[in-house]
Amino acid sequence: MPRLTAPELLRMKSAGEKIAMVTAYDVTMARLMDRAGADMVLVGDSLGMVVQGEGDTLRVTLDEMAYHGRCVARGLERAHLTVDMPFMSYQVSPAQALQNAGRLVQEGRAQAVKLEGGVRTAPAIRACVEAGIPVVGHVGLTPQSVHAMGGFKVQGRDDAAAARIREDALAVQDAGAFCIVLEMIPAALAAELTALLQIPTIGIGAGPQCDGQVLVCNDLLGLDERFKPRFVKRFAELAGVVEGAGRAYVGEVKGGTFPASDHTFDPGGKLYGGG
Ligand code: KIV
């Protein structure tokens, strides 16, 4: 099955078809989410928090994004692959952005790259788009600016802040991005931007009226019972399932009941028990 492309995702907005995006960081999760029908898989720099155990995304490197991009690409048959550009890989200049976006395409097998920021990031977005690299924008809460924003907080609550986000979203579209993530903004503002923009909006903590939604895979699977922000819905509670399976394994190893004959080779190389 051919992989979805940026123009096809753009067309989904005009057709009124919702876009389901989810993060993945390895081939197993990528394969499962692809089979589940996700339209877009994002190798987010959230990997700094979800995979590496950091408190923010700021220490993730371009090499790490390229590595995880390659891992995820091997699991995808239909879903489109976007890879995040990490902190300080595009802020210095449009030339730096283009060079690093090119590495994520070549080494990370990205079909698109995602950059945070609006007006200030527009020249970098334009440089990538003009070189033929599709770009996903990201405005509202932009986690790479966590220190400037004073934490992971809802953005655009008052009129002035909402106007800045509107200006940022328009700048991202004008620079040539084909899609934009709206993170943690009031639902009414997200609905207004969705109507205003020609490119699809993908919300996270931005209400139901966006053209699509994105969640971090670990969050939707309930893999960390300590993390439950308001915008996350857990579609499974896998933390308990995984821990339970681990306990059962440990118990059987310690009790001597695993491996049983079914899991054991005889001297001729065949499995005991008929395998
Ligand atoms: O890094 C990430 O996973 C993201 C999504 C939450 C949009 O940017």
Side-chain angles (χ1 to χ4, degrees):
M1 193 184 292
R3 301 268 292 281
L4 282 173
T5 63
E8 283 164 343
L9 290 160
L10 249 178
R11 273 198 293 277
M12 284 174 76
K13 177 168 179 132
S14 15
E17 201 183 325
K18 291 271 189 188
I19 297 172
M21 179 196 251
V22 62
T23 71
Y25 314 99
D26 65 36
V27 68
T28 303
M29 192 62 73
R31 190 177 298 124
L32 292 172
M33 290 301 161
D34 188 83
R35 273 175 18 197
D39 303 300
M40 297 179 80
V41 168
L42 169 69
V43 181
D45 62 355
S46 51
L47 85 84
M49 303 169 83
V50 173
V51 176
Q52 299 173 338
E54 298 281 359
D56 55 46
T57 60
L58 301 177
R59 275 162 222 86
V60 177
T61 68
L62 193 75
D63 285 342
E64 288 165 349
M65 293 309 297
Y67 168 77
H68 285 276
R70 279 197 302 282
C71 296
V72 166
R74 292 184 194 115
L76 301 183
E77 285 188 7
R78 173 185 171 274
H80 179 277
L81 175 59
T82 299
V83 179
D84 261 350
M85 296 200 61
F87 182 56
M88 290 316 291
S89 69
Y90 60 94
Q91 285 88 347
V92 175
S93 68
Q96 182 214 25
L98 175 56
Q99 199 144 26
N100 288 330
R103 280 195 57 200
L104 290 183
V105 171
Q106 291 187 311
E107 299 169 32
R109 305 207 197 158
Q111 290 171 275
V113 296
K114 178 163 77 60
L115 283 69
E116 294 183 6
V119 173
R120 68 182 156 81
T121 309
I125 295 175
R126 189 168 288 111
C128 297
V129 171
E130 282 175 358
I133 300 174
V135 171
V136 176
H138 185 158
V139 302
L141 172 65
T142 46
Q144 292 174 16
S145 307
V146 62
H147 295 313
M149 290 178 159
F152 298 104
K153 296 177 178 164
V154 177
Q155 303 294 309
R157 280 199 195 272
D158 60 48
D159 287 351
R164 278 196 299 276
I165 292 174
R166 203 174 293 117
E167 209 187 326
D168 279 335
L170 285 168
V172 165
Q173 174 173 273
D174 289 349
F178 77 94
C179 179
I180 186 168
V181 169
L182 307 178
E183 179 161 358
M184 281 182 65
I185 61 172
L189 176 59
E192 183 204 320
L193 294 176
T194 300
L196 180 69
L197 298 173
Q198 269 111 54
I199 58 175
T201 59
I202 309 288
I204 175 162
Q209 298 202 43
C210 297
D211 297 305
Q213 297 290 327
V214 56
L215 279 179
V216 166
C217 56
N218 291 44
D219 295 345
L220 81 87
L221 295 173
L223 278 167
D224 184 351
E225 69 283 358
R226 299 163 306 175
F227 188 67
K228 177 95 180 58
R230 183 183 171 87
F231 62 84
V232 166
K233 176 173 176 181
R234 289 188 187 151
F235 291 82
E237 295 288 350
L238 291 194
V241 173
V242 173
E243 189 177 324
R247 273 184 204 288
Y249 165 70
V250 170
E252 290 201 17
V253 169
K254 291 192 184 288
T257 53
F258 176 82
S261 60
D262 277 0
H263 317 112
T264 307
F265 296 100
D266 68 17
K270 286 204 286 187
L271 279 174
Y272 286 121

